[in-house]
Amino acid sequence: MPPMARTIDDEGLIAQSNRNVLLRRMYRPDREVDALQSKLQGETEECLISRGYTRFLLSHDQSRKLKAFRIGSLERRDFLYSLGSDAAIVVAQRAKAGDH
């Protein structure tokens, strides 16, 4: 079976695909997004700490329960709020510098 001839539309799609690949390599949006997320996370943490919030680590059981809730759900937010507003948990599980 002879190879199929390319149409003009195929050539245009291939050229556009090649341009897209080159643009992605030049601008690396994945790296930009990662850098922006890191910056925002750091600034948010600094803001919360300056306002008196304390970073604490979840226990294995707490972490397991948290994973049962959909990210962004009210149930997840309420669960985290209940942990963060319990002074005994915050004191007992307070993170040391460098812990994440």
Side-chain angles (χ1 to χ4, degrees):
M1 184 183 248
M4 294 179 52
R6 290 187 187 163
T7 66
I8 294 174
D9 288 340
D10 289 342
E11 294 293 332
L13 288 174
I14 290 170
Q16 184 175 353
S17 176
N18 288 337
R19 278 193 303 274
N20 289 342
V21 168
L22 289 173
L23 287 171
R24 287 187 69 73
R25 286 182 184 161
M26 284 174 39
Y27 294 108
R28 299 301 306 252
D30 52 330
R31 267 198 243 157
E32 296 294 325
V33 168
D34 289 346
L36 183 57
Q37 285 176 336
S38 292
K39 182 177 190 245
L40 289 174
Q41 181 69 33
E43 288 177 2
T44 300
E45 288 174 6
E46 287 177 26
C47 178
L48 291 171
I49 289 169
S50 73
R51 286 169 168 71
Y53 286 83
T54 301
R55 175 186 280 266
F56 64 96
L57 303 175
L58 299 181
S59 69
H60 178 73
D61 187 50
Q62 291 164 341
S63 184
R64 184 181 53 76
K65 287 179 183 175
L66 181 64
K67 288 178 184 176
F69 300 115
R70 186 176 46 82
I71 292 175
S73 70
L74 291 176
E75 295 84 5
R76 181 183 173 100
R77 187 199 64 187
D78 290 345
F79 176 70
L80 289 170
Y81 180 81
S82 71
L83 296 176
S85 60
D86 185 329
I89 290 175
V90 174
V91 169
Q93 297 173 213
R94 174 175 278 147
K96 295 174 184 63
D99 285 347
H100 283 81

